[in-house]
């Protein structure tokens, strides 16, 4: 059974650019949530998707957005990158909304220069 | 707003010793998670605790939950070097749904041979 696949693993971007990260959940899982991990703020919830709909969003500016496709794959986008957006972005695969099991991917390490 | 506090944030201990990590949370919750993270890696699920008095054990790690005190503990018995990692507790709001998880700051554990 394949795990959670996040691509790319590493990314370097320049301030002001935009970036798109991808997450493919475990086969059969229908919900995906995203987290940002930084040394200063720790792990913070970004948003959660179920059935192509954003169900909830954390306290992040509108530059952070996402979407989920019919095959449950999810993308998150960050526009107008700032240095503070440098972080490890983790995606969690969840069987369905309200399920207990969160399986995290290996993450995408984004560096903004 | 749900707040999760872990302590200690940093712990250096010798092999063979016992120690406990504490996780306090501020709002009623029906699920508490413990994760392990190795440097540069993703989150590995250790335990999910659902009910008051729940206790789960895996090897040298044992987790417990007191929902009345809003406290969970992760106890390490006869520590070995391989347990060196950062340990996070995370709490989900009651009722499930898509609220995401709120994480503690993590406990950076170093076990010295």
């Amino acid at each position: 059974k394949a795990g959670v696949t996040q691509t790319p693993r590493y990314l370097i971007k320049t301030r002001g650019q935009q970036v798109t990260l991808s997450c493919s959940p475990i086969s059969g899982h229908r919900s995906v949530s995203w987290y940002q991990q930084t040394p200063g703020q720790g792990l913070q919830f970004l948003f959660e998707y179920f059935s192509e709909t954003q169900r909830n969003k954390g306290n992040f500016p509108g530059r952070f957005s996402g979407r989920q496709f019919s095959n449950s794959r999810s993308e998150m986008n960050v526009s107008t990158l700032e240095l503070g957006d440098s972080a490890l972005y983790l995606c969690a695969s969840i069987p369905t909304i309200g399920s207990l099991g969160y399986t995290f991917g290996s993450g995408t390490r984004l560096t903004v220069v | 707003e749900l707040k999760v506090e872990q302590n200690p944030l940093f712990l250096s201990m010798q092999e063979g010793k016992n120690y406990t990590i504490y996780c306090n949370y501020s709002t009623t919750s029906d699920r508490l998670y413990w994760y392990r993270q190795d440097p540069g890696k993703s989150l590995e699920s250790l335990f999910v605790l659902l009910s008051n008095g729940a206790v789960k054990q895996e090897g040298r790690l044992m987790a417990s939950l007191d929902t009345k005190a809003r406290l969970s503990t992760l106890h390490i018995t006869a520590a070995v070097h391989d347990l060196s990692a950062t340990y996070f507790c995370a709490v989900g709001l009651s009722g499930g749904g898509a609220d995401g998880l709120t994480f503690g700051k993590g406990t950076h554990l170093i076990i010295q041979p």
Side-chain angles (χ1 to χ4, degrees):
Chain A
K1 189 174 182 181
V4 184
T5 303
Q6 289 190 247
T7 56
R9 289 295 310 277
Y10 302 92
L11 205 49
I12 300 175
K13 288 286 188 179
T14 304
R15 273 183 301 174
Q17 288 186 314
Q18 74 167 21
V19 67
T20 299
L21 312 180
S22 177
C23 171
S24 292
I26 293 170
S27 178
H29 285 198
R30 298 174 61 196
S31 187
V32 169
S33 62
W34 289 88
Y35 294 80
Q36 181 196 65
Q37 185 176 24
T38 60
Q41 299 299 316
L43 280 150
Q44 294 184 282
F45 170 68
L46 279 158
F47 25 63
E48 181 158 322
Y49 286 87
F50 175 74
S51 292
E52 302 177 63
T53 302
Q54 186 181 96
R55 300 293 174 160
N56 207 346
K57 185 174 181 180
N59 189 23
F60 279 82
R63 300 185 296 107
F64 290 81
S65 63
R67 58 179 175 168
Q68 186 181 31
F69 302 95
S70 59
N71 62 357
S72 296
R73 188 177 72 86
S74 178
E75 288 181 348
M76 67 163 282
N77 184 76
V78 188
S79 62
T80 319
L81 284 165
E82 300 176 0
L83 295 179
D85 297 333
S86 295
L88 179 65
Y89 290 88
L90 292 167
C91 158
S93 174
I94 309 154
T96 188
I97 197 167
S99 292
L100 299 174
Y102 283 65
T103 304
F104 284 86
S106 298
T108 294
R109 171 80 60 186
L110 171 65
T111 302
V112 182
V113 297
Chain B
E1 179 191 352
L2 174 58
K3 293 185 179 180
V4 180
E5 290 187 359
Q6 272 181 253
N7 69 83
L9 297 182
F10 182 82
L11 178 58
S12 180
M13 57 192 291
Q14 289 187 316
E15 280 191 323
K17 301 291 187 182
N18 303 331
Y19 210 82
T20 301
I21 300 170
Y22 298 87
C23 175
N24 289 90
Y25 54 98
S26 62
T27 306
T28 301
S29 170
D30 59 2
R31 51 202 170 109
L32 187 136
Y33 300 78
W34 283 99
Y35 289 94
R36 167 182 173 149
Q37 187 176 42
D38 292 297
K41 303 292 185 181
S42 186
L43 296 169
E44 175 191 352
S45 178
L46 295 174
F47 303 106
V48 181
L49 303 169
L50 303 177
S51 58
N52 188 44
V55 177
K56 290 193 175 181
Q57 183 164 5
E58 181 73 33
R60 300 176 188 274
L61 300 178
M62 183 174 71
S64 66
L65 178 62
D66 181 343
T67 58
K68 294 179 182 177
R70 296 178 186 163
L71 170 69
S72 180
T73 61
L74 180 66
H75 187 73
I76 303 156
T77 302
V80 293
H81 178 67
D82 286 351
L83 291 178
S84 297
T86 300
Y87 293 85
F88 292 93
C89 66
V91 177
L93 288 174
S94 290
D99 299 312
L101 300 179
T102 301
F103 283 82
K105 292 289 187 184
T107 297
H108 185 49
L109 175 63
I110 295 176
I111 299 169
Q112 318 226 12

